[in-house]
Amino acid sequence: MNRHRMALTAATVSAAVAGGIALVATAMASDAATSLGAAAATSGRTFGVAVAAGNLTDQQYVGLLDTQFTGITPENDMKWEVTEPAPGDFDFAAADAIVAHAKDQNQEVRGHTLVWHSQLPGYVAALTDPAELQAAVDRHIAEVAGHYRGQVAYWDVVNEAFVDDGSRRDSVFQQVLGDGYIESAFRAARAADPDAKLCYNDFNTEGVNAHSDAVLAMVEDFVDRGVPIDCVGFQAHLITGALPPDIQANLARFAALGVEVQITELDIRMQLPADEAKLAQQAADYRSVVAACLAVEKCSSITVWQVSDRESWVPGVFAGQGAALLFDEQRAEKPALAATVAALGG
Ligand code: G3I
């Protein structure tokens, strides 16, 4: 028996009330999946989570990680500033610990991320000569994706290269290398790890808008010209009660190009303090995101951006907001957890 299917023989989904509609408590069948990972597996999908290497010494955390999740994304430990802090000076210790854990637990690894304007060492950001920057990018991709060759199922090859009006982000890569840097990165990643699926990943692209239109046009062009791209990640850092209404339609139009689509960094924040009504709305919102993914055959995974509200990046960036994840600060289950398992078919 799959370890994700063990434990509870019957469980009750807590009632959640959103907009006056009660989510009816449901008794699960004796063999129903009761974890996120097991419930997602019933439709062949992965349910992942972002993890920092430092979290792996926390037994309570690891208990949830290994019973609930079937995928792992390193939250920060595969980023350029961590893996190549000085030119040619590679450090894989933290990311290796995460990959080893994932291997031990049979969890799918999403590599995050090879080319991104943020958490980028100063020596890269300072390069102004195109040949030098291209050489730095090529070496970084070859070494990092090469190091994890065969161990990373999906790579976020390029992250956040567009902004909300649909234009290119004004990063060092864009300024010095021009439009072709994205295509070049995908080709380099394919050469470094031919078996990894290669994704473009971005935020504010969950609904149909100018930002996602621009990404869609790029993906269509890549597919037409045979540039290696296999998947598109939609980060989904969302706000309780304010989901884009057309997530499913947006995922579907990307999937129609033949690529996989994935929800890669899901969290749904709220104004603090949390209360029963906000938590019920949040549960309904998680349910909506899961439903959008399940309705699109090529939507292959959902990843939440950390295990619990204790680890979430949100309060540090959005003052007064938080409570965005499926487990609370004490790592107790929130209403959104049961709603998500149920929406996945558990
Ligand atoms: O490593 C230093 C540590 O040495 C120092 O003591 C500490 C003091 O604040 O800072 C540590 O660095 C922090 C780093 O996370 C590692 O914990 C940075 O300050 C902090 O800014 C950084 O935040 C990360 C953020 O990306 C940076 O942009 C978040 O943890 C991480 O969740 C977040 O993840 C991004 C995705 O990669 C891309 N999409 C958006 C998402 C949320 O911003």
Side-chain angles (χ1 to χ4, degrees), residues 259-324:
V259 293
E260 284 181 39
V261 294
Q262 303 186 318
I263 304 293
T264 52
E265 305 184 13
L266 179 61
D267 49 29
I268 310 183
R269 61 187 183 266
M270 62 180 67
Q271 199 64 41
L272 297 173
D275 61 27
E276 204 175 323
K278 292 180 200 172
L279 291 170
Q281 179 64 53
Q282 182 186 52
D285 291 342
Y286 267 94
R287 204 151 31 100
S288 297
V289 174
V290 171
C293 178
L294 261 57
V296 177
E297 197 184 339
K298 281 184 163 302
C299 184
S300 53
S301 68
I302 298 171
T303 297
V304 287
W305 207 241
Q306 265 294 0
V307 170
S308 82
D309 294 337
R310 198 188 301 184
E311 297 85 36
S312 174
W313 69 292
V314 170
V317 173
F318 297 99
Q321 298 181 52

Side-chain angles (χ1 to χ4, degrees), residues 158-300:
V158 176
N159 197 41
E160 303 173 5
F162 290 85
V163 293
D164 286 352
D165 69 3
S167 64
R168 287 291 187 91
R169 181 183 295 278
D170 192 24
S171 67
V172 65
F173 308 110
Q174 185 68 32
Q175 286 173 8
V176 177
L177 301 176
D179 282 353
Y181 87 87
I182 301 181
E183 169 176 352
S184 169
F186 275 82
R187 293 191 190 281
R190 178 66 93 225
D193 186 351
D195 295 327
K197 292 190 179 175
L198 307 180
C199 310
Y200 175 80
N201 190 52
D202 211 333
F203 68 97
N204 285 355
T205 49
E206 296 77 21
V208 175
N209 56 37
H211 195 158
S212 59
D213 285 352
V215 176
L216 186 80
M218 178 190 73
V219 174
E220 188 167 17
D221 171 53
F222 279 15
V223 170
D224 285 350
R225 291 190 297 111
V227 178
I229 186 166
D230 304 297
C231 37
V232 179
F234 301 84
Q235 294 183 10
H237 295 293
L238 302 173
I239 299 171
T240 295
L243 260 50
D246 46 11
I247 297 177
Q248 181 183 323
N250 191 47
L251 296 178
R253 69 181 184 148
F254 279 84
L257 298 177
V259 293
E260 284 181 39
V261 294
Q262 303 186 318
I263 304 293
T264 52
E265 305 184 13
L266 179 61
D267 49 29
I268 310 183
R269 61 187 183 266
M270 62 180 67
Q271 199 64 41
L272 297 173
D275 61 27
E276 204 175 323
K278 292 180 200 172
L279 291 170
Q281 179 64 53
Q282 182 186 52
D285 291 342
Y286 267 94
R287 204 151 31 100
S288 297
V289 174
V290 171
C293 178
L294 261 57
V296 177
E297 197 184 339
K298 281 184 163 302
C299 184
S300 53

Side-chain angles (χ1 to χ4, degrees), residues 75-76 79 81 112 116 118-119 159-160 235 237 265 305 313:
E75 184 182 10
N76 289 300
K79 292 172 180 174
E81 69 174 9
H112 176 79
W116 188 31
S118 180
Q119 291 174 286
N159 197 41
E160 303 173 5
Q235 294 183 10
H237 295 293
E265 305 184 13
W305 207 241
W313 69 292

